Amino acid sequence: MGATISKAGSDLDVHDRSSPGIGVIGVGFIGRVHIMSARMAGARLIGVVDSTPEKSRLATAEFRAERYFENVQSLISHPGVDVIHICTPNYLHYPLAMEAISLGKHVVCEKPLAMSASDAGNLVRLAAAAQVVAAVPLTYRYNTMAQEARHRILSGELGA
């Protein structure tokens, strides 16, 4: 697949085209975590979009994304973006995930996936039909306190 060089900020970056390209919508606290985690896993940050074009421009430079996107639709529809990370306010999760999945993009969506069980079920069905992965990261699963609580619940220590 090769590599390309693009100007991002003041440095030249070399991007391996064999790694997945991600787009992140919303670059507040949790968006930053998604960017860091995806990069640690070997993904390329194609671009980011935030609540305003100016915030998007600043975030593009700060995170050294490959390119600038002025709006969500241009990020989601970009052919180099394989995975969309949705890190927005909760009420936007469902429509953004619907749009991304309908365009054949994999989705990593912050919790909750949707505001209702029926909407979440609809996304699950749509992702299956589109043969894409749609995931909600839940990092507390392996937290020591969460494991201890699970143990106590399963052992009956807390009662029925």
Side-chain angles (χ1 to χ4, degrees), residues 69-89:
F69 292 91
E70 193 164 296
N71 58 58
V72 169
Q73 290 71 28
S74 62
L75 174 69
I76 292 175
S77 65
H78 190 274
V81 174
D82 304 302
V83 183
I84 295 292
H85 288 251
I86 301 172
C87 306
T88 61

Side-chain angles (χ1 to χ4, degrees), residues 153 156-160:
I153 291 167
E157 183 179 332
L158 300 177

